[in-house]
C-alpha cells in the first residue's frame, strides 16, 4: 500500500497533562509545554490541551491558560484546546480568552469546543452546572461565535475578540456531529476504538454539513491513541498505564495518576478490573512502524479524514516522545 495517504494527512497532538505516581502536578504541566516544543520540531500541525476539573489524575484544569504557556514556548505550531467545555463557561468569557490568545499569538490559535459538563456530581455542583446544561450546547456555540463577528444581540462587544478569526472546532460525541454540521464547523471525532460509531458520526456530519464563514466544506479530525515503538511488546507497554487508570476509575469511581507499566503488570487484579484493563488495551493503533502505517492507511481510507489528533498518554515520557518521533517519520519522512 502506498504511504501517500499518510504523508498528505495532517497529524497533531493532544496532551492531557496526565499526572504520574510520585510526580507533582506542576511537573505534568511543565512536561506538556516541553512536549509541545518537541512535537513542533517533529513537524506536527497542532498541539492541543484539555479541560478537566477535580480529576486526581489530570493537572490541566485551565486550558486557555495552559495554551498561552504552550504558545509562548513555541514558534510555528498551531496551539489550541481539545477542548474548552462550553457548558462550564459563559460564552463571552470564552470569547475574551481566545481573543487574548489570538491577539498575543496571531494566526496560531485554535478554539476546540466540547459539550461535556463536570466529571462527577460534586464537580458539577462546584461549577454551578448540571447535566442539562450540555443540552444548550448549540445555542452556546452560536452565542460564542456571535461575539467574534460582532453580532451579539446584547449590544455588548467582546474585546479583543471581535473581528478576530479563531478557527472553531467541535468535539463530537453523539449529538456533536450534527451540531458541528449545522454550524458549518470542522469536527473532531473519536475514538479510534469505536470505529463503527465514528464512521456513522462522520457520515452524518458530511451529509448534514452547511457551509459557513468558518468552513466552506466538511473538515474531519479523527482522534485516538496511536503508539509506535520498536517492537509490538514495547508499543503495548505504552498503553498499559492508561488502560489501568481507566479500569481503576470504572471500578473505584476515581481517576488515579498514571502508574509505571511494570507496576501495573505486577498487580493482582479482581476479575472485573482485569476485564476492564484488558478491554482498555484493545483496539488502539499500536505496534511497530510498519503495523501502524498499515492501520493508519486503513482508517484514513475508511474515514476520509483530513487530520489525525493523537491523544496518547503514558507514564514513560521518554517512550511517549519516541512514539511521536516514530510516527512523524511516517508522515514527514526525512524531516
Amino acid at each position: 500500500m502506498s504511504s501517500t495517504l499518510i504523508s498528505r494527512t495532517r497529524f497533531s497532538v493532544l496532551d492531557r497533562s496526565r499526572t504520574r505516581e510520585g510526580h507533582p502536578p506542576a511537573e505534568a504541566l511543565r512536561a506538556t509545554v516541553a512536549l509541545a516544543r518537541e512535537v513542533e520540531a517533529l513537524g506536527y500541525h497542532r498541539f492541543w490541551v484539555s479541560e478537566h476539573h477535580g480529576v486526581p489524575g489530570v493537572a490541566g484544569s485551565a486550558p486557555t491558560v495552559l495554551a498561552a504557556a504552550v504558545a509562548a514556548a513555541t514558534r510555528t505550531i498551531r496551539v489550541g484546546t481539545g477542548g474548552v467545555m462550553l457548558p462550564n463557561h459563559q460564552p463571552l468569557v470564552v470569547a475574551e480568552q481566545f481573543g487574548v490568545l489570538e491577539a498575543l499569538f496571531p494566526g496560531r490559535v485554535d478554539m476546540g469546543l466540547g459539550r461535556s459538563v463536570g466529571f462527577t456530581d460534586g464537580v458539577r455542583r462546584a461549577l454551578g452546572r448540571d447535566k442539562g446544561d450540555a443540552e444548550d450546547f448549540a445555542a452556546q456555540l452560536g452565542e460564542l461565535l456571535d461575539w467574534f463577528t460582532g453580532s451579539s444581540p446584547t449590544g455588548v462587544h467582546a474585546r479583543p475578540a471581535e473581528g478576530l478569526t479563531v478557527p472553531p472546532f467541535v468535539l463530537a460525541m453523539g449529538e456533536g456531529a450534527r451540531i458541528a454540521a449545522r454550524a458549518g464547523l470542522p469536527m473532531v471525532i473519536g475514538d479510534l476504538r469505536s470505529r463503527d460509531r465514528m464512521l456513522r458520526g462522520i457520515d452524518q456530519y458530511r451529509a448534514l454539513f452547511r457551509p459557513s464563514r468558518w468552513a466552506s466544506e466538511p473538515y474531519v479530525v479523527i482522534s485516538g491513541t496511536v503508539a509506535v515503538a520498536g517492537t509490538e511488546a514495547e508499543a503495548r507497554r505504552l498503553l498499559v498505564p492508561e488502560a489501568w487508570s481507566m479500569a481503576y476509575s470504572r471500578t473505584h469511581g476515581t481517576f488515579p495518576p498514571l502508574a509505571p507499566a511494570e507496576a501495573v503488570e505486577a498487580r493482582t487484579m479482581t476479575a472485573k478490573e482485569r476485564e476492564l484493563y484488558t478491554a482498555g488495551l484493545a483496539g488502539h493503533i499500536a505496534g511497530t512502524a510498519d503495523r501502524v502505517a498499515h492501520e493508519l492507511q486503513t482508517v484514513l481510507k475508511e474515514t476520509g479524514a483530513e487530520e489525525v489528533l493523537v491523544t496518547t498518554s503514558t507514564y514513560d515520557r521518554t517512550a511517549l516522545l519516541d512514539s511521536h518521533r516514530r510516527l512523524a517519520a511516517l508522515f514527514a519522512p526525512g524531516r
Side-chain angles (χ1 to χ4, degrees), residues 73-107:
T74 54
R75 294 186 305 108
T76 56
I77 196 167
R78 297 195 65 85
V79 176
T81 55
V84 164
M85 296 302 148
L86 201 46
N88 291 338
H89 309 282
Q90 291 297 335
L92 170 61
V93 175
V94 175
E96 290 170 337
Q97 290 174 349
F98 280 98
V100 168
L101 283 171
E102 176 62 23
L104 290 171
F105 308 102

Side-chain angles (χ1 to χ4, degrees), residues 62 80 171 178:
L171 276 60
R178 291 183 287 277

Side-chain angles (χ1 to χ4, degrees), residues 55-288:
V55 179
V58 183
S61 56
T64 53
V65 177
L66 185 52
V70 168
T74 54
R75 294 186 305 108
T76 56
I77 196 167
R78 297 195 65 85
V79 176
T81 55
V84 164
M85 296 302 148
L86 201 46
N88 291 338
H89 309 282
Q90 291 297 335
L92 170 61
V93 175
V94 175
E96 290 170 337
Q97 290 174 349
F98 280 98
V100 168
L101 283 171
E102 176 62 23
L104 290 171
F105 308 102
R108 289 180 57 205
V109 176
D110 299 322
M111 185 167 59
L113 304 162
R115 63 193 292 265
S116 298
V117 286
F119 186 58
T120 64
D121 288 340
V123 170
R124 287 189 287 272
R125 282 194 300 273
L127 290 168
R129 298 292 188 268
D130 60 43
K131 286 184 176 178
D133 287 304
E135 303 308 312
D136 298 326
F137 179 68
Q140 294 159 350
L141 182 61
E143 182 183 337
L144 173 60
L145 299 180
D146 284 349
W147 290 117
F148 285 92
T149 58
S151 46
S152 168
T154 63
V156 175
H157 297 272
R159 316 285 189 201
E162 189 173 308
L164 297 180
T165 300
V166 181
F169 294 73
V170 172
L171 276 60
M173 298 297 287
E175 176 65 17
R178 291 183 287 277
I179 292 170
R182 292 184 185 120
L185 301 181
M187 175 183 72
V188 182
I189 189 165
D191 94 33
L192 291 166
R193 296 189 301 163
S194 306
R195 201 69 55 85
D196 288 345
R197 184 180 175 196
M198 175 189 275
L199 290 171
R200 285 196 301 273
I202 291 170
D203 288 347
Q204 190 172 56
Y205 168 70
R206 290 202 175 107
L208 296 174
F209 186 85
R210 300 173 186 167
S212 72
R213 71 187 303 276
W214 306 99
S216 58
E217 55 191 28
Y219 188 92
V220 173
V221 183
I222 55 173
S223 69
T225 294
V226 181
V228 197
T231 67
E232 297 289 333
E234 288 170 333
R236 182 186 181 279
R237 202 168 300 126
L238 279 163
L239 307 176
V240 164
E242 187 73 40
W244 169 247
S245 189
M246 294 300 291
Y248 188 93
S249 73
R250 296 275 300 276
T251 50
H252 294 76
T254 182
F255 206 63
L258 296 176
E262 54 272 22
V264 173
E265 289 171 333
R267 288 189 72 101
T268 301
M269 301 183 192
T270 66
K272 185 63 175 175
E273 287 172 345
R274 176 69 62 182
E275 178 191 341
L276 291 166
Y277 168 67
T278 302
L281 291 170
H284 304 288
I285 294 182
T288 62

